[in-house]
Amino acid sequence: MAMHTSFLTHAKGRYLWIAVLVAILSSLAFIFDEPTEPPNGGTPLGYTLGTIGAIMILWLAYLGRRKRNFVKGWGTTVGWVSAHVYLGCALLVIATLHTGFQFGWNIHTLAYVLMVCVILSGIFGVVAYRTYPGARNELKKTKSLDDIFLQVEEVDAQLLRMASDAPEDIRNILNSAIERTVVGGGFLDQVRARDNSVVELNGRVESNKQQQRALDYLLGRARELQGDQLKLLHDIIRIFNTRKRLLSIIRDDIRMHAVTSVWLLFHIPITFALIASLIAHVFAVFVYW
Amino acid sequence: MGESYKIVVIGAGPGGLSAAARAAESNVSHVLLESSPKIANTIQSYQKGKHVMAEPGILPLRSPIEFEAGTREAILEAWHKGILDQSVNIQYSAEVSAITGEKGDFSITLSNGETIQGEHIILGIGMQGNPRQLGVPGENAPFVQYQLDDPDEYKDETIVVVGAGDAAIENAVALAKHNKVYIVNRRDEFARAKEGNLNLILANIDSGDVECFYGTNPSAVEMTEDGETPGIFKLSTPTGEADVPVHRIIARLGAIPPRGLVESFGIEFPNDDPNSIPALSSQYESNIPGIYIIGALGGYPLIKQAMNQGYEVVEYIEERDVRPADHDLIAAKVSKVNPALDVDDILHEMQERIPVFSDVNALQFRELMLESDVHMPKKGEVIFAKNDYTNSFYTIFSGDVDIEINESLTVASGQGNFFGEMSLLSGRRRSATVVAGDDCIVIETPRRTMNKLRASVEAVQRVLDKTFIVRTIQQKFAPNTPLVALEPVAEKTQINQYAPNEVIFSQGDEGDSLHFIRSGSVTVSIDVDGHEVVMSYVPANQSVGEMALLGNTVRSATVRAAVKTETLSIDGESFNTLMDSVDGLRESMQKMADERSRQNVSTQESTEDGDDLLGFLIGQGLGEATDVLLIDENLCVACDFCEQACAATHNGTSRLNRKAGPTYASIHIPTSCRHCEDPSCMKDCPPDAIQRGGVGGEVYIGDNCIGCGNCQQNCPYGVIQMAYRTEASDNFWRWLLFGWGEKPGSKAAAKSDGDTIKRAVKCDMCIDQNGGPACVRACPTGAAARVSPEDFVNLMS
Ligand SMILES: Cc1cc2nc3c(=O)[nH]c(=O)nc-3n(C[C@H](O)[C@H](O)[C@H](O)COP(=O)(O)OP(=O)(O)OC[C@H]3O[C@@H](n4cnc5c(N)ncnc54)[C@H](O)[C@@H]3O)c2cc1C
Ligand code: HEM
Ligand code: SF4
Ligand code: SF4
């Protein structure tokens, strides 16, 4: 028995089976139902599925509240998330059957589309949750991000010390490359692992993506120098390369971290829009039908 | 010959100040000798502005000098005023180095060679000891100091810090902000420092903020007449002599514990245990008549206690009859036993009736009763239940109890006997249920008090050990055999102590005994291509080495202590006799051995790819954990809900740091309390605020914490923080809908409740929450789990 159980296998996958059962039962009901009119939200079965679906949406959205119930709160959060993801998928079946496949350019279909968006983003979230943590751990080889930042700081200090004996242009470019290295940035930069680093070369500011520009410059200088200076430059290049590698680990890590939560930026706002359109949909049904 | 006084008080701590003030108030000729240039050196060295507490709150203060909770500065001020008002005769910078003579005619020698005559001596020099000096010419120059109150006081100076411990590092780093700082380390590395401080100093040395002289010894301090700096510090470095012009030298070389000095006065300690306390009479008199010991040195670690004793001891010397200040407190505890009797008579009666306490001196017994509780349970009431996590010790004053070891075995125990020693000694759960019988009166003594007693009274230790051995043999191997029949085996059983990592026996050794682990835990490892691979972990209350007694005489694995461990070793011959006489014992031992080999094989399979997770966990000190938070890095999405949940349920401060801590394979050990079996944090808490108990055996810190920071220093895992106690204030819907207030669980959601002192906080396993630890309950992905070491083996499969 392993000590840790993920939300997917929580309670031996209990909610998976419940969700499958719910989906099969509602499909059977739909298949054997013989309504007087073509299947739609207004038949007795349609009303039933609609009510179940609406309640499920409210319950699914309630996770946002339950997650922050630290003091009291029924069950564990991982149990709630497990139920959320499986029953959330079952909702797709229930709601689709509820529509009776009648779509159009109206408020009702809008609610449905929003719901599908929430569900799809949720599925993306599950994939992200199950892939990125492991990948990040693999990437950093059990070190923490802070450790790697510290390592970069050490490497920087070392480079600067070595630079003090190197020709002035090399000293300048190292100084500038280190000073103007950018990691992180805005959320979008993080998600795209964008590298806004620059370096100042002969008075011009150039992009130093992946530290490549500075590295190229150093490599170019290696063809010109000789003797002790060349040896020093080789050491600098070797260490600069380590720095480049560490920075790319950091950037990848930050990217994966951002992606692990970026989908929530769709999932949650669309949930609000969904609830609003759901209210409008219900209201429209009872007032105008 | 020097001046002569009736009372010589040594040490101007709270105890000594109070004694001298009382002597002055009663016009007794006296002198108060203080080694430092100010009063109360221990209190002077608290951090600036520290709030000093007046625990225990229920104890009244009895002293001519005032003392109530307040800032360090206010208290020192009040004491200073107190000794002026009472015209106390105090001598500063008067360090006592020797005492000779006898009651009525003592001669006290100071380190400057002066002598002073005295009839009685009150020794109140505390436990802090004196700071170790530089030991070079010029060590007393005015710019050499041995402590640092406020690093921000100094700016733009050149300062040399001498030492390689935590204090030296913290000082050097703090001073480096505004000064040019050097650190002098006799060795080539900072081996004594805590991990955090080690990283700190290395980073500072790397960045050039602090310059380090490794492998360097000071050789002299010289004053300069008209140089830029007041002095020059001469150092002998591995590459030759170096002269550093300095404004200031700060030596942080640790303290010399006072015990050696006290022993040189002729005062005896019961044993070598560093925690042991000299034996004292009920009037605080030591083995040398005329020398009295009060305060921390006598085992009373709080200010108010020290002050009360200072007052009382002068009354005793003056032959005035006073009741100790704690009289009413004890009376409230014990008079219910027999309201007609005087308190002292009841205490006397208790010692008479209960043999374990008969060798304890009156003062110690008083102290013990002050911390104990007397219970008068009704017949049939459960005193404690099997598997409870409590660990106090019980003695029976009258009546009897039934000890239910298992369904079929219940033994009765009566007046004068004791129970509860198993959990006391092993730190593990209760191994039996105890139910009150007729007219039962029992005394419950906390573990800490008993441990102090064990350390100072050998007879108590001996009796407890002896009983522990027979009862263990009975419970574990021969539940239906009467205790007397087990005496011969018990006689031959030995108690062994092992340091962490010490080998108990090695693979390939000739095996001739079985070890029962009474406290601590061990790892079982085998040799795989020259590497020792840990196969399993065996916690206290189980045995190892049984295979050797079942005919297999060569040890098949190496067993090492994972932490400080005590075992009972039963030799093969005795155990074979036991197996012959007890039905089914041989079979059950055989079964256990088979089970163990089976487990070893399966672990071996899962460790073949070279992964040694178990070894890693034990290496991180988890062998002494009872419950630890482990995070599966393959599941953790770094949402930090665990920390938020902890903060939200604990007054706004998260007691766990998810990011910090080591990782091996995918298992991460965040910085969070492991609820150690024998917690180091508990060892030196003046008000005894750290307790262990409850259903999960949590170690938690009570409201009477005085914020001294000892536990923070003592915890080897850095999990205790000092924080203001605040209240969480958040409202989810308000936050969500209107953006008012703070996000639930965020740091800012905590608001101060006006409490102005920082106190120790750490994980309490959500002792007040239903449904278990909030961190685990809040984790959305299942990454956070609480695990006990017994389950570590499961992590590997
Ligand atoms: C950080 C910290 C915080 C604490 N907070 C609190 C609190 O809030 N409330 C509380 O009640 N307790 C607190 N304590 C405990 C309290 O400080 C001690 O219990 C108390 O100081 C003991 O008093 P004492 O008189 O026995 O000895 P000390 O206060 O240690 O005084 C001994 C004195 O003797 C002098 N001396 C030593 N050797 C010699 C010698 N050879 N010759 C002459 N003089 C000598 C020393 O210089 C010193 O001044 C705290 C302890 C620490 C370490
Ligand atoms: C209409 C359907 C759904 C609604 C209204 C909904 C709503 C929500 C809400 C409000 C949250 C809380 C976010 C937060 O506060 O942090 C959440 C979280 C989440 N949802 Fe959904 N959801 C739906 C369907 C799904 C589906 C189908 C899946 C996956 C298959 C899914 C996966 C998740 C996951 C993984 C989380 C994150 C849990 C956490 O980190 O605590 N959701 N959802
Ligand atoms: S605070 Fe430290 S020493 Fe105390 S139980 Fe927790 S981990 Fe152990
Ligand atoms: S709550 Fe769980 S997933 Fe979130 S940070 Fe903590 S351990 Fe990781």
Side-chain angles (χ1 to χ4, degrees), chain A residues 7 57 60-64 67-68 77 81 84-85 88-89 91 115 118-119 122-123 125-126 129 263-264 267-268 271 274, chain B residues 780:
Chain A
F7 60 101
I57 288 176
L60 288 161
Y62 181 72
L63 177 65
K67 255 179 96 172
R68 290 169 182 82
T77 307
V81 171
H84 180 92
V85 298
C89 291
L91 172 68
M115 185 204 73
V118 176
I119 294 177
I123 293 174
V126 169
Y129 270 27
W263 63 276
L264 277 170
H267 202 66
I268 301 171
T271 295
L274 165 62

Side-chain angles (χ1 to χ4, degrees), chain B residues 438-641:
Chain B
D438 287 319
D439 306 322
C440 180
I441 300 180
V442 294
I443 301 169
E444 177 182 8
T445 308
R447 179 168 198 231
R448 177 172 102 140
T449 312
M450 278 313 288
N451 281 347
K452 217 154 93 183
L453 196 66
R454 277 166 62 207
S456 48
V457 185
E458 209 162 328
V460 171
Q461 171 78 331
R462 232 183 6 251
V463 175
L464 289 183
D465 278 345
K466 207 174 145 219
T467 315
F468 185 91
I469 293 173
V470 269
R471 289 192 185 162
T472 304
I473 295 176
Q474 185 190 47
Q475 271 187 18
K476 288 290 151 187
F477 308 113
N480 300 316
T481 314
L483 287 176
V484 275
L486 297 172
E487 297 271 324
V489 183
E491 291 280 300
K492 287 183 152 175
T493 301
Q494 281 178 359
I495 295 179
N496 318 285
Q497 271 144 0
Y498 301 94
N501 239 348
E502 192 176 336
V503 172
I504 297 174
F505 54 74
S506 302
Q507 188 169 351
D509 280 1
E510 193 76 24
D512 57 355
S513 60
L514 167 142
H515 285 263
F516 175 81
I517 305 159
R518 112 160 160 181
S519 69
S521 54
V522 304
T523 56
V524 180
S525 48
I526 56 160
D527 185 278
V528 178
D529 310 326
H531 291 286
E532 228 179 271
V533 174
V534 179
M535 308 301 293
S536 66
Y537 162 89
V538 185
N541 232 347
Q542 295 195 26
S543 41
V544 285
E546 69 291 333
M547 293 187 196
L549 306 184
L550 298 165
N552 202 347
T553 55
V554 174
R555 299 289 193 194
S556 58
T558 298
V559 170
R560 276 176 195 275
V563 293
K564 206 173 113 210
T565 297
E566 281 187 339
T567 69
L568 306 185
S569 57
I570 308 176
D571 73 283
E573 203 184 299
S574 311
F575 201 77
N576 270 307
T577 343
L578 199 63
M579 285 197 285
D580 291 338
S581 63
V582 178
D583 278 349
L585 179 57
R586 191 175 294 275
E587 292 70 23
S588 69
M589 291 308 289
Q590 187 67 55
K591 226 167 92 192
M592 186 170 107
D594 291 347
E595 167 64 20
R596 197 157 279 165
S597 343
R598 202 186 49 72
Q599 195 191 10
N600 282 357
V601 171
S602 74
T603 325
Q604 194 165 13
E605 276 162 7
S606 66
T607 45
E608 250 155 29
D609 43 1
D611 102 3
D612 188 14
L613 182 57
L614 194 51
F616 162 74
L617 294 172
I618 302 296
Q620 291 300 322
L622 293 192
E624 65 179 319
T626 59
D627 189 294
V628 58
L629 179 64
L630 294 182
I631 291 183
D632 185 342
E633 291 284 16
N634 285 336
L635 289 173
C636 173
V637 293
C639 63
D640 279 335
F641 262 66

Side-chain angles (χ1 to χ4, degrees), chain B residues 624-625 672-682 690 692 699 701 711 714-720 762-763:
Chain B
E624 65 179 319
S672 164
C673 177
R674 303 110 180 266
H675 302 276
C676 304
E677 199 174 279
D678 189 8
S680 307
C681 56
M682 267 190 197
I690 307 181
R692 138 158 264 165
V699 176
I701 303 179
C711 55
N714 287 341
C715 168
Y717 308 109
V719 311
I720 299 186
K762 68 169 207 56
C763 163

Side-chain angles (χ1 to χ4, degrees), chain A residues 1-8 62 64-79 81-82 128-138 140-147 150 153-154 157 161 257 260-261 268 272, chain B residues 203 206-207 630-639 641 644-646 648-649 659 661-667 732-733 735-737 743-745 769-771 774 776-787 791-792 794-795 797:
Chain A
M1 186 198 80
M3 248 20 268
H4 295 95
T5 356
S6 87
F7 60 101
L8 292 181
Y62 181 72
R65 171 72 190 110
R66 171 58 188 79
K67 255 179 96 172
R68 290 169 182 82
N69 259 348
F70 297 126
V71 181
K72 39 202 185 305
W74 193 63
T76 58
T77 307
V78 57
V81 171
S82 184
Y129 270 27
R130 290 305 287 116
T131 8
Y132 288 129
R136 290 179 66 201
N137 192 36
E138 188 69 17
K140 288 178 295 177
K141 303 267 179 290
T142 77
K143 280 208 213 64
S144 74
L145 190 57
D146 289 346
D147 288 343
L150 267 179
E153 262 173 48
E154 274 168 33
R161 267 198 306 275
H257 181 210
T260 331
S261 48
I268 301 171
F272 280 104
Chain B
D206 242 22
S207 66
L630 294 182
I631 291 183
D632 185 342
E633 291 284 16
N634 285 336
L635 289 173
C636 173
V637 293
C639 63
F641 262 66
Q644 288 178 32
C646 184
T649 47
K659 276 202 212 135
T663 307
Y664 183 87
S666 64
I667 298 296
F732 175 81
W733 293 116
W735 164 71
L736 180 77
L737 298 176
K743 191 168 150 192
Q769 315 283 324
N770 296 325
V776 174
R777 275 193 301 138
C779 176
T781 65
R786 290 211 150 258
V787 180
D791 302 323
F792 285 168
N794 296 333
L795 275 173
S797 42

Side-chain angles (χ1 to χ4, degrees), chain B residues 156-281:
Chain B
D156 306 320
E157 294 192 351
T158 302
I159 302 177
V160 180
V161 178
V162 187
D166 291 310
I169 294 176
E170 283 162 18
N171 288 178
V173 171
L175 286 166
K177 273 190 221 129
H178 303 297
N179 303 283
K180 170 84 199 116
V181 176
Y182 297 90
I183 188 164
V184 171
N185 183 351
R186 274 165 223 248
R187 303 218 265 148
D188 291 333
E189 51 183 315
F190 290 88
R192 276 188 299 126
K194 278 197 282 207
E195 173 104 16
N197 278 332
L198 178 67
N199 295 338
L200 196 65
I201 190 71
L202 293 182
N204 270 267
I205 293 174
D206 242 22
S207 66
D209 289 339
V210 173
E211 221 168 293
C212 181
F213 286 103
Y214 287 106
T216 296
N217 282 303
S219 51
V221 178
E222 281 174 7
M223 313 266 237
T224 42
E225 281 299 302
D226 42 39
E228 251 180 55
T229 60
I232 292 192
F233 198 6
K234 292 188 164 305
L235 301 170
S236 81
T237 73
T239 52
E241 295 292 313
D243 288 359
V244 185
V246 289
H247 292 97
R248 201 168 296 285
I249 297 172
I250 298 179
R252 301 308 302 262
L253 301 167
I256 305 166
R259 177 163 173 166
L261 179 69
V262 174
E263 278 176 328
S264 77
F265 300 157
I267 289 163
E268 288 165 6
F269 286 74
N271 54 43
D272 288 341
D273 188 321
N275 299 321
S276 73
I277 292 153
L280 302 177
S281 77

Side-chain angles (χ1 to χ4, degrees), chain B residues 132-137 139 146 186 218-219 253:
Chain B
R132 207 161 263 147
Q133 311 274 103
L134 279 175
V136 297
E139 64 180 12
Y146 293 93
R186 274 165 223 248
S219 51
L253 301 167

